[in-house]
């Protein structure tokens, strides 16, 4: 294989552990060209009047790129970070570095798959192959007990069959050396200002100061399982609202691909072996299975998840003044303390608990009668842990146009507040005058 050069195109897979495309490239090529494209289309306005990427997530991604660059440099490599659209940048780099093949991880949502397809077309003209890898799910799609088109639209049926019949592959080893071309160009991680964004203010009330990168993700995984043993009580505490450890908080690192879901699975299995299995250890894997499920559903249903009538083709009732109501909801000034507190947390930190997300989504759709896709788009802008399948899949579920077998997924906000914030500590923390 002397003289082969492979371009490794990073996207939402910003890690060196359990990264099949990176490992394979180091084995198959003499030199590799690791590249990340900062796509300006990710920093534009969405059709809903929201931004596609807000400053919290952008900051997290830039930190993750910095960390990946350092990790690759330690192995003798580097990461080339260029601003521009992949279908234009990658063919140029292939010429410059005389690339024989390009590797990347397959995505499932419409915009991401369209970019892959545009890149594939551009490379095809140059007779260069774009090789697809699967690395975003705990289960490999080839190991599912059914083809994608036959996956049940009800999660419970999917879960039972998968738990019974599917196995999870071992993680891939981490490369020990990376060789880049002698003429590899230098590049810097862009700043938020370069992307037209501002530095988000750090809010001392944030459940966790999330910092991007594989190093931080692995540190959090180690802390949650081994140091604090918070995993042991995860099922009891996961609906919490206050503090760093009521849930694993691994989702931002999972979304950017700084952590591999398979790596988490095997680490939980090791924990069970060494410190004992219980409902909570199972529940973390159960949540990862939900994440897998939405990705496979996106593969099955394509763009239906971005349509107002969803996969069920069901129309929701809408308020005549929904624009005004949407603004109140976004800014956490609806007058419903539990909803407003959660929306304030999101606005100031880029994060919200799972319990909070379900409540504010139900309130927007069922009480305010606002188009659910606006809410999903606002979450896309604001959340540090945004990932298309989980975000739009969950919103469609709550809006009754997705995978929920029940027609109405209504949350009684007062009852929820009484149950999950009985002393009002969370609402007090996030009331506006406390900022």
């Amino acid at each position: 294989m002397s003289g082969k050069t492979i371009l490794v195109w990073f996207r939402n897979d910003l890690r060196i552990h359990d990264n099949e495309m990176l490992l394979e490239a180091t084995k198959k090529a003499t030199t590799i060209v690791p590249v990340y494209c900062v796509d300006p289309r990710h920093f534009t306005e969405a059709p809903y009047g929201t931004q596609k990427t807000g400053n919290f997530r952008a900051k997290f991604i830039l930190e993750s790129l910095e960390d990946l660059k350092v990790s690759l440099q330690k192995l003798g490599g580097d990461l080339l970070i260029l601003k521009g659209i992949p279908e234009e940048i990658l063919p140029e780099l292939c010429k410059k570095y005389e690339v024989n093949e390009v590797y990347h991880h397959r995505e499932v949502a419409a915009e991401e798959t369209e970019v892959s397809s545009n890149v594939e077309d551009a490379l095809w003209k140059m007779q260069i192959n774009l090789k697809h890898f699967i690395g975003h799910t705990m289960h490999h799609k080839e190991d599912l007990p059914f083809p994608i088109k036959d996956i049940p639209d009800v999660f419970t049926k999917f879960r039972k069959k998968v738990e019974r019949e599917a196995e999870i592959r071992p993680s891939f080893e981490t490369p020990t050396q990376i060789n880049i071309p002698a003429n590899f160009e230098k590049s810097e991680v862009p700043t938020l200002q370069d992307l037209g964004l501002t530095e988000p203010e750090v809010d001392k009330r944030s459940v966790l100061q999330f910092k991007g990168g594989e190093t931080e993700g692995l540190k959090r995984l180690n802390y949650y399982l081994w140091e604090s043993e918070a995993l042991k009580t995860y099922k009891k505490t996961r609906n919490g609202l206050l503090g760093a450890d009521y849930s694993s908080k691994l989702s931002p690192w999972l979304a950017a691909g700084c952590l591999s879901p398979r790596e988490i699975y095997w680490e939980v299995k090791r924990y069970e072996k060494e410190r004992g299995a219980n409902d909570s250890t199972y529940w973390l894997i159960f949540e990862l299975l939900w994440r897998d499920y939405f990705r496979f559903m996106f593969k099955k249903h394509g763009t239906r998840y971005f349509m107002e009538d969803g996969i069920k083709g069901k129309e929701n009732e809408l308020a005549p003044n929904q624009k005004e109501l949407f603004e109140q909801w976004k800014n956490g000034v609806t007058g419903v303390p539990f909803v407003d507190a959660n929306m304030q947390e999101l606005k100031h930190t880029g994060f919200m608990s799972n319990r909070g997300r379900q409540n504010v989504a139900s309130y927007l759709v069922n009480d305010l009668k606002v188009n659910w896709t606006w809410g999903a788009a606002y979450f896309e802008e604001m959340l540090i842990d945004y990932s298309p399948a989980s975000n739009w899949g969950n919103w469609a579920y709550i809006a009754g146009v997705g995978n929920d077998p029940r027609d109405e997924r209504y949350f009684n906000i007062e009852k929820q507040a009484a149950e999950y914030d009985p002393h009002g500590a969370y609402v007090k923390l996030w009331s506006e005058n406390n900022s």
Side-chain angles (χ1 to χ4, degrees):
M1 276 291 172
S2 70
K4 184 169 184 179
T5 299
I6 292 173
L7 187 149
V8 177
W9 172 27
F10 283 94
R11 294 171 86 190
N12 297 312
D13 43 16
L14 306 178
R15 63 177 186 269
I16 60 171
H17 76 272
D18 192 35
N19 191 328
E20 186 186 7
M21 72 164 183
L22 180 63
L23 182 68
E24 178 94 347
T26 59
K27 288 181 172 174
K28 294 278 168 70
T30 316
T31 54
I32 70 166
V33 179
V35 179
Y36 181 89
C37 303
V38 180
D39 191 331
R41 292 170 297 197
H42 294 164
F43 301 93
T44 52
E45 199 169 287
Y48 311 89
T50 51
Q51 293 297 313
K52 290 204 64 74
T53 310
N55 53 6
F56 287 110
R57 187 164 81 260
K59 182 174 193 277
F60 189 90
I61 291 166
L62 297 181
E63 289 165 349
S64 302
L65 289 172
E66 185 63 59
D67 188 61
L68 178 61
K69 197 170 169 64
V70 170
S71 297
L72 291 168
Q73 284 169 344
K74 283 179 184 164
L75 299 176
D78 202 349
L79 179 66
L80 178 55
I81 302 165
L82 296 172
K83 195 173 175 188
I85 65 177
E87 48 267 52
E88 289 171 7
I89 289 179
L90 299 177
E92 284 170 22
L93 291 174
C94 287
K95 278 189 205 125
K96 177 174 178 176
Y97 294 109
E98 296 176 3
V99 167
N100 304 93
E101 203 173 3
V102 176
Y103 284 7
H104 91 128
H105 275 119
R106 206 184 267 288
E107 284 287 352
V108 292
E111 285 172 11
E112 289 78 358
T113 47
E114 191 185 342
V115 173
S116 294
S117 161
N118 293 343
V119 168
E120 195 159 22
D121 292 347
L123 294 176
W124 188 248
K125 288 175 188 152
M126 302 166 69
Q127 295 181 304
I128 294 172
N129 176 47
L130 176 67
K131 185 171 181 185
H132 304 275
F133 289 84
I134 292 165
H136 290 300
T137 46
M138 185 168 60
H139 291 89
H140 196 291
K141 77 175 172 66
E142 307 299 333
D143 302 336
L144 294 176
F146 18 56
I148 295 285
K149 65 177 179 51
D150 296 333
I151 290 184
D153 283 339
V154 174
F155 173 71
T156 308
K157 287 181 184 166
F158 165 82
R159 176 184 65 79
K160 286 180 175 166
K161 200 163 169 61
V162 166
E163 284 179 343
R164 220 174 26 242
E165 297 174 34
E167 292 205 355
I168 290 167
R169 299 179 181 192
S171 296
F172 287 95
E173 62 198 80
T174 302
T176 52
Q177 190 177 353
I178 285 168
N179 301 317
I180 51 175
N183 63 337
F184 194 83
E185 59 196 281
K186 292 268 174 269
S187 66
E188 297 293 322
V189 176
T191 64
L192 283 167
Q193 288 69 26
D194 293 337
L195 305 175
L197 295 166
T198 53
E199 187 72 30
E201 281 183 32
V202 174
D203 195 302
K204 62 183 189 306
R205 297 168 295 175
S206 182
V207 287
L208 198 65
Q209 299 300 336
F210 293 101
K211 186 173 184 218
E214 175 179 25
T215 307
E216 291 292 327
L218 290 168
K219 203 188 275 181
R220 175 66 190 174
L221 178 62
N222 184 59
Y223 167 81
Y224 192 74
L225 269 62
W226 303 99
E227 286 175 29
S228 68
E229 289 206 71
L231 173 63
K232 213 163 43 181
T233 55
Y234 172 67
K235 191 170 184 222
K236 282 191 206 80
T237 63
R238 74 186 198 286
N239 283 310
L241 302 162
L242 292 163
D245 296 343
Y246 64 77
S247 67
S248 74
K249 310 286 190 303
L250 296 173
S251 55
W253 292 284
L254 273 165
C258 301
L259 271 182
S260 141
R262 196 160 45 196
E263 190 77 12
I264 298 172
Y265 172 83
W266 288 114
E267 200 59 12
V268 170
K269 287 286 148 197
R270 184 165 80 88
Y271 178 91
E272 288 182 336
K273 213 175 271 174
E274 293 181 24
R275 302 203 179 159
N278 64 12
D279 277 2
S280 290
T281 57
Y282 164 74
W283 211 262
L284 191 68
I285 292 166
F286 172 87
E287 296 292 1
L288 286 173
L289 191 57
W290 259 114
R291 188 178 167 278
D292 272 15
Y293 181 63
F294 279 131
R295 287 191 81 94
F296 296 136
M297 281 286 111
F298 264 57
K299 219 165 162 43
K300 176 180 175 180
H301 291 290
T303 54
R304 298 277 350 143
Y305 277 100
F306 298 99
M307 313 269 179
E308 209 182 320
D309 61 358
I311 64 171
K312 285 188 178 171
K314 173 180 167 275
E315 281 188 30
N316 281 340
E317 186 194 331
L318 297 174
N321 61 335
Q322 57 167 345
K323 280 202 164 72
E324 184 192 325
L325 296 170
F326 179 54
E327 287 304 313
Q328 290 171 4
W329 176 84
K330 249 170 62 171
N331 293 304
V333 289
T334 64
V336 177
F338 192 58
V339 170
D340 291 346
N342 276 289
M343 295 308 290
Q344 290 294 338
E345 181 181 11
L346 177 64
K347 187 174 164 183
H348 292 289
T349 70
F351 191 80
M352 191 196 291
S353 68
N354 183 51
R355 179 58 41 188
R357 293 178 202 204
Q358 291 179 307
N359 273 280
V360 300
S362 170
Y363 184 75
L364 184 75
V365 174
N366 298 311
D367 295 275
L368 298 181
K369 310 275 186 236
V370 171
N371 183 335
W372 71 271
T373 63
W374 299 2
Y378 182 63
F379 271 27
E380 176 170 343
E381 174 185 338
M382 295 302 293
L383 284 171
I384 297 181
D385 62 2
Y386 169 74
S387 111
S390 295
N391 182 63
W392 290 83
N394 272 306
W395 267 95
Y397 190 94
I398 296 269
V401 299
N403 295 82
D404 193 348
R406 298 193 301 188
D407 273 347
E408 289 282 306
R409 177 66 61 166
Y410 179 74
F411 284 74
N412 178 323
I413 307 292
E414 277 182 27
K415 198 169 157 217
Q416 291 274 312
E419 188 172 345
Y420 296 106
D421 189 27
H423 306 296
Y426 175 76
V427 164
K428 186 164 180 276
L429 180 71
W430 287 106
S431 61
E432 274 194 294
N433 56 11
N434 195 23
S435 56

